[in-house]
Amino acid sequence: MLLFSILSAIVTAGLLGAALLWTRRQPDDERQTAREDYARFVAEMDRRVANGVIEASLAHEEKLEAARALLKADAAGEGARRSVSPLLGLIGAFVIAGGALGLYLVTGKPELPDQPYQQRLDAWMAQAETQPETMASKPLSEVLKRKAAENTEDPQYWMFLGRLQVMSGDYYDGAKSFRVAVTKAPDNAEAWSNMGEALTLMNEGKSGPDARTAFEEALKRDPNDLSGQYYMGKVLIAEGRFEAARAMLGGLREQLPVGDPRRQAVETELAALEQAQTVDAQTRGQIAGMVAGLEARLADNQENPDGWARLLRSYRVLGDVASEARVLADIERVYQKRPEIKASIIEKANRPVGSQ
């Protein structure tokens, strides 16, 4: 551990040197660094979207969060610099560095040999050669990644690597591996459904457009693909297509033997479907009551642009295409000579529910 102790001393000296530089830094250094970090983050998000490894909506949310953090840093930066004394900062650096070194000497294990990452990786690789069944998914996936150059054209390699990465919680890397697998073997339904699952897990359990497409591709190639049926059933529930979801999940349940733990997961989704359908029916009933009231008020007073917008949006939510077309024709008739009002009504109707 002598090397580690020397490195610790060097790091400590570097921290003290950084503290001294901090007392002489320019006021805008931190802001400039934060802006550069933000620019690099945005560029990385754009690259991932372009490469198809992350959904555009998710990337947009991440960039918004980064922008908010940058604005907060800019707003707080000046006050923080005024409130912290350079001398206190220097004293704090000495205390932190000294405390960290003392904690290491007291509670650490300086008598043990150091274990750098490469050494641990070498040990994992040796273990993988003799006892791979004893390894956890994370170290085994790290070992397997070192074999990528030897297996670039082998879809089964990328499938196995992707499974290990998903088991390790590395959903982003797992999705990348499965994407390579479907490129090498586009007719492999399991590769498609596995990629959709990784994308769903990466998106906190929500299947976005890319995941949905992956499940559709899986079921095109194998209508009995278990993962494809399960996740597509959940997608159909989220879309309000309850009968299609019931048929999908019901068919999947029949494929699974009694006692199979996966069957319980399907039963849970079928129960969630019934609850979602009940809530949807209640919501539609409420909307229908509101629609009837709107229709009556508009019959008495057609000069109500907000009312027309709400009525049009309500029929769209209900999926009543015929009534939507009828309302559009009424709007055209009432505002034929005032196209700017008609355009405003259409624009309001197109806004997401709750955005007003």
Side-chain angles (χ1 to χ4, degrees):
M1 294 299 289
L2 178 60
L3 176 59
F4 187 87
S5 299
I6 294 173
L7 290 175
S8 297
I10 293 173
V11 170
T12 301
L15 178 60
L16 298 179
L20 290 172
L21 290 174
W22 179 83
T23 63
R24 296 176 174 83
R25 77 195 192 289
Q26 294 299 317
D28 290 331
D29 284 352
E30 288 183 357
R31 292 184 184 181
Q32 182 61 31
T33 299
R35 289 168 184 156
E36 291 172 355
D37 289 342
Y38 170 75
R40 283 193 293 269
F41 178 83
V42 170
E44 176 62 12
M45 287 294 102
D46 290 340
R47 183 188 67 78
R48 291 184 180 183
V49 171
N51 291 338
V53 296
I54 188 172
E55 297 174 19
S57 59
L58 179 59
H60 178 67
E61 292 175 5
E62 294 290 346
K63 287 191 282 187
L64 283 179
E65 288 299 322
R68 294 188 187 103
L70 178 62
L71 289 173
K72 289 180 181 177
D74 276 345
E78 189 62 36
R81 279 190 290 273
R82 285 195 299 266
S83 62
V84 178
S85 164
L87 179 58
L88 290 177
L90 181 59
I91 293 172
F94 274 101
V95 170
I96 292 170
L101 182 58
L103 184 64
Y104 163 72
L105 292 174
V106 172
T107 65
K109 299 291 184 180
E111 73 279 3
L112 295 179
D114 61 336
Q115 291 286 317
Y117 177 75
Q118 184 59 48
Q119 187 172 333
R120 283 184 286 131
L121 181 59
D122 291 341
W124 292 339
M125 295 184 74
Q127 185 180 358
E129 293 291 337
T130 57
Q131 296 177 307
E133 69 280 359
T134 65
M135 298 183 68
S137 55
K138 179 65 175 179
L140 190 54
S141 68
E142 291 300 312
V143 170
L144 202 61
K145 281 166 62 176
R146 277 24 185 211
K147 303 291 184 179
E150 305 169 21
N151 297 277
T152 54
E153 301 301 318
D154 183 1
Q156 290 306 314
Y157 163 82
W158 293 104
M159 286 282 288
F160 187 47
L161 177 59
R163 291 191 191 103
L164 287 173
Q165 290 167 328
V166 169
M167 289 171 60
S168 304
D170 298 332
Y171 306 131
Y172 172 74
D173 288 336
K176 286 174 58 180
S177 295
F178 289 130
R179 190 174 294 278
V180 176
V182 299
T183 301
K184 304 302 179 185
D187 291 330
N188 188 331
E190 187 179 3
W192 282 104
S193 61
N194 284 352
M195 183 175 74
E197 181 179 34
L199 290 169
T200 298
L201 293 171
M202 188 177 73
N203 198 29
E204 299 181 345
K206 299 177 182 177
S207 297
D210 288 349
R212 193 189 198 288
T213 298
F215 297 134
E216 289 175 341
E217 293 293 335
L219 294 174
K220 282 180 186 177
R221 290 157 176 80
D222 180 7
N224 294 320
D225 180 81
L226 299 181
S227 292
Q229 291 179 84
Y230 175 73
Y231 281 103
M232 182 54 73
K234 296 183 67 171
V235 168
L236 292 171
I237 293 174
E239 293 176 351
R241 298 172 59 188
F242 301 113
E243 293 308 318
R246 185 175 288 107
M248 180 73 68
L249 293 171
L252 175 58
R253 179 177 56 186
E254 296 305 313
Q255 290 179 246
L256 298 171
V258 176
D260 190 317
R262 294 173 297 179
R263 187 182 176 99
Q264 182 57 49
V266 176
E267 295 284 1
T268 299
E269 290 304 324
L270 284 168
L273 185 158
E274 297 299 332
Q275 183 177 3
Q277 190 168 17
T278 299
V279 172
D280 181 75
Q282 293 172 348
T283 302
R284 287 176 175 273
Q286 293 171 353
I287 293 175
M290 182 189 71
V291 166
L294 272 174
E295 292 270 21
R297 289 194 294 274
L298 287 169
D300 293 336
N301 176 23
Q302 296 186 339
E303 293 295 332
N304 185 353
D306 288 340
W308 287 112
R310 290 196 299 273
L311 183 62
L312 182 57
R313 190 188 308 108
S314 297
Y315 279 128
R316 287 177 177 172
V317 171
L318 292 170
D320 190 338
V321 178
S323 295
E324 179 185 346
R326 175 176 56 78
V327 171
L328 282 170
D330 288 341
I331 294 170
E332 176 67 33
R333 174 179 53 79
V334 174
Y335 297 102
Q336 183 176 11
K337 296 182 179 180
R338 292 169 290 174
E340 69 283 356
I341 298 179
K342 173 189 169 184
S344 174
I345 292 171
I346 302 300
E347 189 273 330
K348 288 180 180 178
N350 288 337
R351 293 176 189 171
V353 175
S355 63
Q356 278 71 30

